[in-house]
Amino acid sequence: MARIAFILLTHKDPDGVIQQACRLSAAGDYVAIHYDRRAPEAEYRAIRSALADDPNVTFAPRRIRCGWGEWSLVAASLETLRTAERVFQQATHFYLLSGDCMPIKSAQFTRQYLDGDDCDYIESVDFFHGDWIKTGIKAERLIYRHWFNERTHKTLFYASMAWQRRLGLTRRLPDDLQIMIGSQWWCLRRQTVESMLALIDSRPELVRFFRSTWIPDETFFQTLVSHVVPKTQIRSRSPTFLMFTDYGMPVVFYNDHYDLLLRQDYLFARKISAEARDLRARLGNLWQATGQEFPISAEGPRLFRFLTGRGRIGRRFAPRFWESDGSLGRSRIVHLVVAKKWHVAKRLTDRVRTLTAIPAVDYLFNEFNAGLPDMGGVASSVEKRQRHRRALVRLLFDRFETRNLVLCLDPSALSLIGDFASDRAETRILHVDCDFDDDYLRGHMKRTGLASDRTPQDVLDRLVPVVRADLEHEGERLRDMEFARFETISAASTPERNAAAIARFLDVPEEIAQDLARTPHLFDD
C-alpha cells in the first residue's frame, strides 16, 4: 500500500503547520517541512519543538529565503525532497504541498487512488508548443539569465533582459531536454524521485541552467521528470485542485465550499483560507475517515467561471469585425433567429428552407454541422468561422446569390447581434421566447458542463433558479437593446400573432407565415 512523504513548503501560520503535520503523520504517512527563512526564527523553533517527538516528521536541514518566481522555491523543494527520500525509506510517493493545502479526500481513498495506477502526477506541457503561458514573457524565461525578481525589482528585471537582448546574449537550452511547463504541485513515485536526484547529481549544469531561469518551479521538475520517466507513466495533471481568477490570482476557498471541494477529481485543494476554521476542521477530520464514498462530478472550474462571470457585461477591448472590415452592403438583409433552445430554431429554419426561397443556416458560429454549403477553408472549423466570420457571411450571400439570409444565433452572443444591427445591411431579429422548466435547465447545466450525472440533487436544485434567472436575463438584455426591426414569437402566444411576427420578419405571404407558425412541435422540448 502507498505510503506518502509530504514535502511541506510553509512560510506562515506556525499553529496551522503543526496541525497539518500532526494530521498527516497520524494517518501513518510522513512529513518533511521547509519553513521559509524569511519567517521569524521564533516561529520555526515553536514548530520544531511541537513536532520533536514525532518520528514521522522531519525538517529540511537548511532554511532558504524564498521569493516568488525565483530559484529559491525550487531549492527549498529540492532540499526538503532529498531529506524525505533519505529519512523515510518506506515512503512510496512524495507529494509536494503548501501550508495552504488541505485534503479533500480521505487518506484511505488517497492511498487506493495512488495504488490504482503506477504513475507520476505532474502537469507537464511542452513549453514552446503548448498554450500554458497565457500572458507575459515566454521564451525569454529561458534564453536570458534572470538575476532580479520581477516583483521586487521590476526596473532591474526588464533592464537586464533588454541589455541581454541588445547585446545578443541569448543562451542555448540543454540539447537533450524537452523543456516542459506546468503546475508546481505534484506527486511522484520513489523510483522517479531517485532517478531525478541521480540525474541532478550527475549533471550539475542542469541546476546552473534553471537557477537563472524565470519561474523555474513551473519548469524544473516538469522537465526532469519527463526526461527520466516514459510519457506513458506520467499523468499530466496536478493531484491538487486549484483555480485562478481572471486576474491571475488563486481562488481562495471558504467554509461554504466543503461539498464543492469533495466532488472534485483531486486529492488535495489549495488555497484554503486561514479564516475558514470550520472548513479546515472538517477537511482535517475527513483525512482520518474510513469507508467514505466520494462521488466525483468535477464541475468546479466551469461552475466558478459561470458564477463569477454573471453580471460582468462590460466593454469590449477589440474593434468589431464589421468596423474593421467594412459593410455587408446596404442592399442585403440579415434575418437573425435568436433562440436559446437551439432545437426550436432549427425546426423553424428547416421549415423556412422548405417553404421559401430564403437560404437559412443554423448555429454556424457554434456548431460545425450548421447546414452550410461548401465554403472552402474558411468554414473548416467553428474556431476558423469565428476568426473570419465577416468573410464567411459575405461568402454566404455570394454563394447563395441572394440578398436575404437567415442565421441562427444564441442570445448570449449580444455583441455579435449588436454588430449585425450596426452594419449598413438591414438586420431583422426574431426572438424565440422560450420557457425553461426544471428538467430543461438540469439538462442545460449538464450540456454546458455546469453539472454532471454525479452532481448531487441538492446542488442541482440550488443552481436551477440561478441558471433560469441567467437565461431569462439574456432575453431581457436582448429586448432592452431596442432594435429597429425586432419581433418575438413564443409558445404562449397565439399562432396568428406568431404568424404576423414571422411575416414581418421574413416578408413572406400570410399563408406561408401561417404554415411556419404552425410548424409541428415547434416549441416542444
Side-chain angles (χ1 to χ4, degrees):
M1 180 176 287
R3 295 193 70 181
I4 308 167
F6 291 99
I7 312 303
L8 193 55
L9 299 185
T10 61
H11 66 282
K12 62 181 180 180
D13 188 17
D15 291 338
V17 173
I18 294 169
Q19 293 171 13
Q20 189 179 32
C22 290
R23 178 171 54 247
L24 296 174
S25 66
D29 294 304
Y30 309 107
V31 183
I33 300 173
H34 177 274
Y35 200 68
D36 196 328
R37 194 173 178 183
R38 296 178 187 271
E41 180 68 23
E43 293 183 358
Y44 178 63
R45 287 199 300 267
I47 297 172
R48 293 211 61 146
S49 175
L51 300 173
D53 297 329
D54 192 333
N56 286 357
V57 176
T58 190
F59 291 82
R62 183 168 63 100
R63 293 173 64 201
I64 297 170
R65 300 174 69 89
C66 296
W68 186 90
E70 298 177 1
W71 169 257
S72 54
L73 284 174
V74 177
S77 303
L78 269 178
E79 188 84 9
T80 316
L81 180 62
R82 286 186 183 276
T83 302
E85 189 271 337
R86 184 183 69 254
V87 173
F88 302 129
Q89 292 294 315
Q90 301 303 312
T92 61
H93 293 76
F94 297 82
Y95 196 133
L96 184 66
L97 292 176
S98 77
D100 293 325
C101 296
M102 292 288 291
I104 56 176
K105 301 292 185 293
S106 65
Q108 181 186 63
F109 178 96
T110 298
R111 294 191 186 101
Q112 292 173 351
Y113 185 92
L114 295 177
D115 285 335
D117 197 357
D118 186 20
C119 65
D120 299 299
Y121 293 92
I122 180 168
E123 187 178 23
S124 48
V125 178
D126 186 278
F127 185 93
F128 293 101
H129 300 294
D131 190 32
W132 203 86
I133 298 176
K134 302 298 183 184
T135 60
I137 62 175
K138 186 171 181 177
E140 293 87 347
R141 289 192 187 192
L142 305 175
I143 63 175
Y144 299 121
R145 296 168 177 83
H146 299 278
W147 299 287
F148 304 102
N149 189 302
E150 193 265 350
R151 287 191 171 183
T152 58
H153 298 92
K154 187 181 291 289
T155 300
L156 290 173
F157 179 90
Y158 287 105
S160 168
M161 193 164 61
W163 274 106
Q164 292 180 72
R165 182 185 295 113
R166 188 172 303 172
L167 297 173
L169 299 178
T170 58
R171 58 178 177 173
R172 292 181 58 185
L173 309 184
D175 290 331
D176 60 337
L177 290 185
Q178 179 185 10
I179 305 298
M180 310 296 282
I181 190 169
S183 168
Q184 74 175 100
W185 310 108
W186 39 255
C187 180
L188 306 176
R189 297 168 296 172
R190 171 173 283 276
Q191 60 265 37
T192 300
V193 169
E194 292 173 345
S195 299
M196 184 175 60
L197 294 178
L199 176 66
I200 294 169
D201 292 339
S202 65
R203 296 185 57 183
E205 75 276 9
L206 297 181
V207 171
R208 286 197 300 270
F209 173 78
F210 282 100
R211 187 186 294 276
S212 56
T213 60
W214 180 234
I215 322 181
D217 54 298
E218 295 178 350
T219 55
F220 180 78
F221 292 106
Q222 295 78 1
T223 299
L224 297 192
V225 169
S226 296
H227 187 72
V228 300
V229 175
K231 291 186 177 180
T232 56
Q233 296 180 24
I234 297 176
R235 304 296 173 261
S236 184
R237 64 187 297 264
S238 171
T240 298
F241 179 59
L242 68 161
M243 297 189 296
F244 291 91
T245 69
D246 343 9
Y247 305 102
M249 300 300 293
V251 173
V252 179
F253 298 107
Y254 295 93
N255 290 333
D256 56 349
H257 288 129
Y258 178 81
D259 293 326
L260 171 73
L261 291 174
L262 265 60
R263 294 195 303 272
Q264 305 315 306
D265 189 17
Y266 295 86
L267 304 177
F268 282 73
R270 171 179 201 279
K271 290 182 159 187
I272 310 299
S273 170
E275 286 75 37
R277 293 185 176 86
D278 181 58
L279 177 60
R280 285 180 170 266
R282 295 179 72 184
L283 293 177
N285 293 333
L286 176 70
W287 184 248
Q288 307 287 344
T290 57
Q292 181 160 344
E293 297 285 334
F294 292 94
I296 305 298
S297 57
E299 80 285 11
R302 190 179 292 270
L303 183 59
F304 174 78
R305 289 194 296 270
F306 167 71
L307 292 175
T308 56
R310 295 178 71 239
R312 291 189 180 181
I313 305 161
R315 294 180 175 179
R316 53 188 171 83
F317 290 89
R320 295 182 173 113
F321 62 92
W322 312 112
E323 295 170 344
S324 60
D325 285 321
S327 170
L328 292 176
R330 292 185 185 277
S331 63
R332 289 170 168 169
I333 303 175
V334 182
H335 305 262
L336 301 180
V337 178
V338 181
K340 194 66 184 181
K341 292 184 177 180
W342 293 4
H343 56 279
V344 176
K346 290 178 185 179
R347 288 184 191 130
L348 184 59
T349 54
D350 184 59
R351 291 289 286 170
V352 169
R353 287 189 288 266
T354 301
L355 299 177
T356 77
I358 303 174
V361 296
D362 299 331
Y363 289 86
L364 73 166
F365 297 121
N366 302 96
E367 295 183 308
F368 183 76
N369 296 316
L372 288 175
D374 182 12
M375 304 293 293
V378 73
S380 60
S381 69
V382 172
E383 179 182 4
K384 202 167 187 179
R385 294 176 199 170
Q386 289 277 5
R387 192 164 61 246
H388 303 296
R389 46 192 174 179
R390 184 184 181 282
L392 174 62
V393 174
R394 289 182 67 92
L395 282 172
L396 283 170
F397 274 108
D398 294 339
R399 176 69 175 77
F400 286 120
E401 297 180 350
T402 182
R403 64 184 294 268
N404 298 76
L405 179 64
V406 176
L407 307 175
C408 294
L409 293 179
D410 191 277
S412 63
L414 280 181
S415 63
L416 179 56
I417 297 169
D419 285 334
F420 276 109
S422 65
D423 188 70
R424 291 174 186 154
E426 181 181 339
T427 300
R428 302 180 186 180
I429 296 170
L430 180 67
H431 176 217
V432 183
D433 193 4
C434 300
D435 294 325
F436 307 109
D437 61 26
D438 289 0
D439 287 340
Y440 172 83
L441 293 171
R442 292 188 185 98
H444 174 76
M445 286 188 282
K446 292 177 181 178
R447 288 190 295 273
T448 58
L450 292 177
S452 72
D453 292 335
R454 296 186 176 184
T455 301
Q457 186 62 41
D458 64 316
V459 175
L460 287 174
D461 292 341
R462 291 200 301 271
L463 280 174
V464 161
V466 176
V467 175
R468 175 181 285 110
D470 197 66
L471 298 188
E472 291 174 348
H473 182 57
E474 287 181 352
E476 292 172 4
R477 289 169 57 205
L478 185 66
R479 288 187 285 269
D480 288 345
M481 294 178 78
E482 299 181 345
F483 297 109
R485 298 294 301 268
F486 184 87
E487 307 290 343
T488 299
I489 63 172
S490 70
S493 187
T494 65
E496 290 74 23
R497 292 184 64 181
N498 286 340
I502 292 172
R504 290 190 295 268
F505 173 66
L506 293 176
D507 272 339
V508 294
E510 181 179 346
E511 58 272 20
I512 292 179
Q514 290 280 356
D515 283 346
L516 290 171
R518 289 182 166 84
T519 296
H521 313 292
L522 177 60
F523 296 100
D524 291 353
D525 287 337

